[in-house]
Amino acid sequence: MPQITHVRTESTGTHPKHITNVKLSNGDEKTRATVVNEIDSGTSYYYTKGGGQTGYVETVHPSGETPYIRTKSDSTTADNLLKLPRF
């Protein structure tokens, strides 16, 4: 199962808007579109959050917009993927 360790975002001003690319623990880079396709095809992605806990990633397909990835719901409303280091 691929582990996401870093993210790249497109920005609007000083705030990140969407993740555009991810870096995996093996050093590979993948685009958001590739990750969306792989998750939708059955590949699970995860990341490690504070305290060594594992968080999982899901896809979102808003009507009329580009699909994106986000953290699966857990005990926080913050998008934990955006807390990962940038590359």
Side-chain angles (χ1 to χ4, degrees), residues 12-45:
T12 56
T14 58
H15 300 288
K17 182 172 175 161
H18 289 291
I19 294 169
T20 60
N21 300 74
V22 299
K23 184 183 270 188
L24 305 177
S25 58
N26 67 1
D28 287 352
E29 282 185 41
K30 296 199 176 201
T31 65
R32 172 180 60 207
T34 298
V35 174
V36 165
N37 288 336
E38 289 179 352
I39 291 172
D40 288 348
S41 295
T43 300
S44 295
Y45 278 80

